[in-house]
């Protein structure tokens, strides 16, 4: 069943690392119907160049608020941009102490997809995160800026056939 996939629960120790770049989590998590993912970027219905739409969700790590824009279309490509904000609160164990990290993320991304299939081919994300990490040992300010570029190369169908 393509909608229901059994996935092992993520290791909570990786929550801090995963939350530093919230916009790429959808590449490793199975998408829910209607959720932007590498398989589905445009909203339902007809979309024209210049159209904008929003995506919002709350998940176990925090809240996501995104605004997408269809920038341009060519005969074989779809070009989109996205700006978003996310908040995350994670707890990890560090040297026997519970550490709570609260971060506010602001990000901008540019996406390129195959027009025929709608599958994402490239995504560049610039993320700025600020917040703090608190434990019984005290609080530490956290500031992080990153740029991540993801390139996806679809494999031909014959690569998946049993030999």
């Amino acid at each position: 069943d393509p909608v229901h996939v059994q996935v092992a629960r993520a290791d909570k120790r990786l929550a801090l690392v995963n939350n530093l770049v919230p916009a790429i989590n959808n590449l490793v998590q199975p998408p829910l119907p209607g959720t932007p993912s590498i398989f589905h970027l445009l909203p339902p219905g007809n979309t024209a160049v210049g159209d904008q739409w929003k995506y919002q969700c709350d998940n176990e790590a925090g809240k996501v608020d995104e605004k997408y824009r269809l920038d341009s279309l060519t005969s074989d490509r779809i070009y989109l941009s996205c700006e978003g904000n996310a908040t995350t609160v994670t707890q990890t164990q560090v040297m026997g102490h519970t550490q709570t990290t609260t971060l506010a993320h602001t990000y901008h991304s540019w996406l390129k997809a195959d027009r025929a299939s709608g599958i994402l081919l490239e995504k560049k994300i610039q993320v700025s995160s600020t917040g703090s990490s608190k434990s019984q040992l005290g609080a530490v300010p956290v500031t992080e800026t990153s740029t991540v570029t993801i390139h996806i190369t679809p494999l031909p169908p014959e690569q998946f056939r049993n030999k």
Side-chain angles (χ1 to χ4, degrees):
D1 183 359
V3 175
H4 298 91
V5 178
Q6 185 74 8
V7 178
R9 186 158 182 88
D11 187 335
K12 288 193 177 272
R13 293 173 294 177
L14 293 176
L16 177 62
V17 174
N18 287 337
N19 287 325
L20 290 177
V21 189
I24 66 171
N25 283 343
N26 66 353
L27 293 175
V28 295
Q29 301 295 329
L32 297 172
T35 303
S37 73
I38 65 170
F39 305 106
H40 175 76
L41 295 171
L42 298 175
N46 294 328
T47 307
V49 171
D51 284 356
Q52 297 182 19
W53 61 96
K54 293 183 178 186
Y55 171 73
Q56 297 175 320
C57 79
D58 290 308
N59 58 38
E60 63 184 43
K63 181 179 180 178
V64 176
D65 186 11
E66 298 177 326
K67 184 171 76 173
Y68 288 84
R69 181 180 189 277
L70 178 55
D71 292 329
S72 66
L73 294 169
T74 67
S75 61
D76 62 342
R77 297 288 183 255
I78 300 168
Y79 295 92
L80 301 147
S81 55
C82 174
E83 57 184 45
N85 297 295
T87 55
T88 55
V89 178
T90 56
Q91 289 190 335
T92 55
Q93 292 293 317
V94 177
M95 298 187 309
H97 298 279
T98 299
Q99 184 168 348
T100 302
T101 303
T102 304
L103 294 172
H105 312 277
T106 300
Y107 51 93
H108 300 277
S109 58
W110 298 268
L111 304 93
K112 176 173 68 173
D114 178 74
R115 188 167 180 176
S117 67
I119 293 178
L120 181 68
L121 299 173
E122 184 176 323
K123 184 173 186 176
K124 180 178 180 181
I125 311 157
Q126 292 178 335
V127 182
S128 296
S129 303
T130 58
S132 64
S133 190
K134 298 176 183 176
S135 74
Q136 294 171 337
L137 303 174
V140 176
V142 177
T143 302
E144 189 266 343
T145 302
S146 62
T147 300
V148 177
T149 302
I150 300 162
H151 298 277
I152 299 170
T153 305
L155 296 174
E158 59 269 10
Q159 295 266 324
F160 299 102
R161 293 193 186 123
N162 292 333
K163 296 183 180 183

